[in-house]
CSV table of all heavy atoms in Angstrom, one decimal:
chain,number,residue,atom,x,y,z
A,1,SER,N,-11.0,1.0,11.2
A,1,SER,CA,-11.2,0.8,12.6
A,1,SER,C,-10.4,1.9,13.4
A,1,SER,O,-9.2,2.3,13.0
A,1,SER,CB,-10.7,-0.6,13.0
A,1,SER,OG,-10.5,-0.6,14.4
A,2,PRO,N,-10.9,2.4,14.5
A,2,PRO,CA,-10.2,3.4,15.3
A,2,PRO,C,-8.9,2.8,15.9
A,2,PRO,O,-8.1,3.6,16.4
A,2,PRO,CB,-11.2,3.8,16.3
A,2,PRO,CG,-12.2,2.7,16.4
A,2,PRO,CD,-12.3,2.2,15.1
A,3,PHE,N,-8.8,1.5,15.9
A,3,PHE,CA,-7.6,0.9,16.5
A,3,PHE,C,-6.5,0.7,15.5
A,3,PHE,O,-5.4,0.3,15.9
A,3,PHE,CB,-8.0,-0.5,17.1
A,3,PHE,CG,-9.0,-0.4,18.2
A,3,PHE,CD1,-10.3,-0.7,18.0
A,3,PHE,CD2,-8.6,0.1,19.5
A,3,PHE,CE1,-11.2,-0.6,19.1
A,3,PHE,CE2,-9.5,0.2,20.5
A,3,PHE,CZ,-10.9,-0.2,20.3
A,4,VAL,N,-6.8,1.1,14.3
A,4,VAL,CA,-5.8,1.0,13.2
A,4,VAL,C,-5.1,2.3,13.0
A,4,VAL,O,-5.8,3.3,12.7
A,4,VAL,CB,-6.4,0.4,11.9
A,4,VAL,CG1,-5.3,0.4,10.8
A,4,VAL,CG2,-7.0,-0.9,12.1
A,5,ASN,N,-3.8,2.4,13.2
A,5,ASN,CA,-3.1,3.7,13.0
A,5,ASN,C,-3.2,4.1,11.5
A,5,ASN,O,-3.6,5.2,11.1
A,5,ASN,CB,-1.7,3.6,13.4
A,5,ASN,CG,-1.6,3.7,15.0
A,5,ASN,OD1,-2.6,4.0,15.6
A,5,ASN,ND2,-0.4,3.5,15.5
A,6,ASN,N,-2.7,3.2,10.7
A,6,ASN,CA,-2.7,3.4,9.2
A,6,ASN,C,-2.2,2.1,8.6
A,6,ASN,O,-2.0,1.1,9.3
A,6,ASN,CB,-1.7,4.5,8.8
A,6,ASN,CG,-0.4,4.5,9.5
A,6,ASN,OD1,0.2,3.4,9.7
A,6,ASN,ND2,0.1,5.6,9.9
A,7,SER,N,-1.9,2.1,7.3
A,7,SER,CA,-1.3,0.9,6.7
A,7,SER,C,0.2,1.1,6.5
A,7,SER,O,0.6,2.2,6.3
A,7,SER,CB,-2.0,0.6,5.3
A,7,SER,OG,-1.8,1.7,4.4
A,8,VAL,N,0.9,0.0,6.4
A,8,VAL,CA,2.3,0.0,6.2
A,8,VAL,C,2.6,-1.0,5.1
A,8,VAL,O,1.9,-1.9,4.9
A,8,VAL,CB,3.1,-0.3,7.5
A,8,VAL,CG1,2.9,0.8,8.5
A,8,VAL,CG2,2.8,-1.7,8.0
A,9,GLN,N,3.7,-0.8,4.4
A,9,GLN,CA,4.2,-1.8,3.5
A,9,GLN,C,5.0,-2.9,4.1
A,9,GLN,O,5.7,-2.7,5.1
A,9,GLN,CB,5.1,-1.1,2.4
A,9,GLN,CG,4.3,-0.3,1.4
A,9,GLN,CD,5.1,-0.1,0.1
A,9,GLN,OE1,6.2,0.3,0.1
A,9,GLN,NE2,4.4,-0.3,-1.0
A,10,ALA,N,4.8,-4.1,3.7
A,10,ALA,CA,5.4,-5.3,4.2
A,10,ALA,C,5.8,-6.2,3.1
A,10,ALA,O,5.1,-6.3,2.1
A,10,ALA,CB,4.5,-6.0,5.2
A,11,ALA,N,6.9,-7.0,3.3
A,11,ALA,CA,7.3,-8.0,2.3
A,11,ALA,C,6.7,-9.3,2.8
A,11,ALA,O,6.9,-9.7,3.9
A,11,ALA,CB,8.8,-8.1,2.2
A,12,VAL,N,5.8,-9.9,2.0
A,12,VAL,CA,5.0,-11.1,2.4
A,12,VAL,C,5.4,-12.3,1.5
A,12,VAL,O,5.3,-12.2,0.3
A,12,VAL,CB,3.5,-10.8,2.3
A,12,VAL,CG1,2.7,-12.0,2.8
A,12,VAL,CG2,3.1,-9.6,3.2
A,13,LEU,N,5.8,-13.4,2.2
A,13,LEU,CA,6.1,-14.6,1.4
A,13,LEU,C,4.8,-15.5,1.4
A,13,LEU,O,4.3,-15.8,2.5
A,13,LEU,CB,7.2,-15.4,2.1
A,13,LEU,CG,7.7,-16.6,1.4
A,13,LEU,CD1,8.3,-16.3,0.0
A,13,LEU,CD2,8.8,-17.3,2.3
A,14,TYR,N,4.4,-15.9,0.2
A,14,TYR,CA,3.1,-16.7,0.1
A,14,TYR,C,3.5,-18.1,0.0
A,14,TYR,O,4.5,-18.5,-0.6
A,14,TYR,CB,2.3,-16.2,-1.1
A,14,TYR,CG,1.5,-15.0,-0.9
A,14,TYR,CD1,2.1,-13.7,-0.9
A,14,TYR,CD2,0.2,-15.1,-0.6
A,14,TYR,CE1,1.3,-12.6,-0.6
A,14,TYR,CE2,-0.6,-14.0,-0.4
A,14,TYR,CZ,0.0,-12.7,-0.4
A,14,TYR,OH,-0.8,-11.6,-0.1
A,15,PRO,N,2.7,-19.0,0.6
A,15,PRO,CA,2.9,-20.5,0.5
A,15,PRO,C,2.6,-21.0,-0.9
A,15,PRO,O,2.0,-20.3,-1.7
A,15,PRO,CB,2.0,-21.0,1.5
A,15,PRO,CG,0.8,-20.1,1.6
A,15,PRO,CD,1.4,-18.7,1.3
A,16,GLY,N,3.0,-22.2,-1.1
A,16,GLY,CA,2.8,-22.8,-2.4
A,16,GLY,C,4.0,-22.7,-3.3
A,16,GLY,O,5.0,-23.4,-3.2
A,17,THR,N,4.0,-21.8,-4.2
A,17,THR,CA,5.1,-21.6,-5.2
A,17,THR,C,6.3,-21.0,-4.4
A,17,THR,O,6.1,-19.9,-3.8
A,17,THR,CB,4.7,-20.7,-6.3
A,17,THR,OG1,3.5,-21.2,-7.0
A,17,THR,CG2,5.8,-20.6,-7.4
A,18,ASN,N,7.5,-21.6,-4.6
A,18,ASN,CA,8.6,-21.0,-3.9
A,18,ASN,C,9.0,-19.6,-4.5
A,18,ASN,O,8.7,-19.4,-5.7
A,18,ASN,CB,9.8,-21.9,-4.1
A,18,ASN,CG,9.6,-23.3,-3.4
A,18,ASN,OD1,8.9,-23.3,-2.5
A,18,ASN,ND2,10.3,-24.3,-3.8
A,19,ARG,N,9.5,-18.8,-3.7
A,19,ARG,CA,10.0,-17.4,-4.1
A,19,ARG,C,8.9,-16.5,-4.5
A,19,ARG,O,9.1,-15.4,-5.1
A,19,ARG,CB,11.0,-17.5,-5.3
A,19,ARG,CG,12.2,-18.4,-5.1
A,19,ARG,CD,13.0,-18.6,-6.4
A,19,ARG,NE,14.1,-19.5,-6.1
A,19,ARG,CZ,15.4,-19.2,-6.0
A,19,ARG,NH1,15.7,-17.9,-6.1
A,19,ARG,NH2,16.3,-20.1,-5.9
A,20,ASP,N,7.6,-16.8,-4.0
A,20,ASP,CA,6.5,-15.9,-4.2
A,20,ASP,C,6.5,-14.9,-3.1
A,20,ASP,O,5.7,-15.0,-2.2
A,20,ASP,CB,5.2,-16.7,-4.3
A,20,ASP,CG,4.0,-15.9,-4.7
A,20,ASP,OD1,4.2,-14.7,-5.0
A,20,ASP,OD2,2.9,-16.4,-4.6
A,21,LEU,N,7.3,-13.8,-3.3
A,21,LEU,CA,7.3,-12.8,-2.3
A,21,LEU,C,6.8,-11.5,-2.9
A,21,LEU,O,7.2,-11.1,-4.0
A,21,LEU,CB,8.8,-12.6,-1.8
A,21,LEU,CG,9.0,-11.6,-0.7
A,21,LEU,CD1,10.2,-12.1,0.2
A,21,LEU,CD2,9.3,-10.2,-1.1
A,22,ARG,N,5.9,-10.8,-2.2
A,22,ARG,CA,5.2,-9.6,-2.6
A,22,ARG,C,5.3,-8.5,-1.6
A,22,ARG,O,5.2,-8.8,-0.4
A,22,ARG,CB,3.8,-9.9,-3.0
A,22,ARG,CG,3.5,-11.2,-3.8
A,22,ARG,CD,2.0,-11.5,-3.9
A,22,ARG,NE,1.8,-12.9,-4.3
A,22,ARG,CZ,0.6,-13.5,-4.4
A,22,ARG,NH1,-0.4,-12.8,-4.0
A,22,ARG,NH2,0.5,-14.7,-4.7
A,23,VAL,N,5.6,-7.3,-2.0
A,23,VAL,CA,5.5,-6.1,-1.1
A,23,VAL,C,4.1,-5.6,-1.3
A,23,VAL,O,3.7,-5.2,-2.3
A,23,VAL,CB,6.6,-5.1,-1.5
A,23,VAL,CG1,6.4,-3.9,-0.6
A,23,VAL,CG2,8.0,-5.7,-1.4
A,24,GLU,N,3.4,-5.5,-0.1
A,24,GLU,CA,2.0,-5.1,-0.1
A,24,GLU,C,1.6,-4.3,1.1
A,24,GLU,O,2.4,-4.3,2.1
A,24,GLU,CB,1.1,-6.3,-0.3
A,24,GLU,CG,1.2,-7.3,0.8
A,24,GLU,CD,0.5,-8.6,0.5
A,24,GLU,OE1,0.3,-9.0,-0.7
A,24,GLU,OE2,0.0,-9.3,1.4
A,25,ASP,N,0.4,-3.7,1.1
A,25,ASP,CA,0.0,-2.9,2.3
A,25,ASP,C,-0.6,-3.8,3.3
A,25,ASP,O,-1.4,-4.8,3.0
A,25,ASP,CB,-1.0,-1.9,1.9
A,25,ASP,CG,-0.4,-0.8,1.1
A,25,ASP,OD1,0.8,-0.5,1.2
A,25,ASP,OD2,-1.1,-0.1,0.3
A,26,ARG,N,-0.3,-3.6,4.6
A,26,ARG,CA,-0.9,-4.3,5.7
A,26,ARG,C,-1.4,-3.2,6.8
A,26,ARG,O,-0.7,-2.2,7.0
A,26,ARG,CB,0.1,-5.2,6.4
A,26,ARG,CG,0.4,-6.5,5.6
A,26,ARG,CD,-0.7,-7.4,5.6
A,26,ARG,NE,-0.5,-8.6,4.8
A,26,ARG,CZ,0.0,-9.8,5.4
A,26,ARG,NH1,0.3,-9.8,6.6
A,26,ARG,NH2,0.1,-10.8,4.6
A,27,ASP,N,-2.5,-3.5,7.5
A,27,ASP,CA,-3.0,-2.6,8.5
A,27,ASP,C,-2.0,-2.7,9.7
A,27,ASP,O,-1.4,-3.7,10.0
A,27,ASP,CB,-4.3,-3.1,9.0
A,27,ASP,CG,-5.4,-2.7,8.1
A,27,ASP,OD1,-5.2,-1.8,7.2
A,27,ASP,OD2,-6.5,-3.4,8.1
């Protein structure tokens, strides 16, 4: 999308299993 500058890395905590933290790309 022209409104998206680029992607950045972010640390994301997922629900469900405790301590499920992943570093992934986000717009």
Side-chain angles (χ1 to χ4, degrees):
S1 165
F3 297 105
V4 178
N5 283 353
N6 49 37
S7 65
V8 296
Q9 285 200 313
V12 181
L13 183 64
Y14 279 79
T17 306
N18 295 338
R19 301 174 186 255
D20 185 6
L21 188 147
R22 313 170 197 174
V23 176
E24 58 189 31
D25 290 335
R26 287 288 180 95
D27 286 338

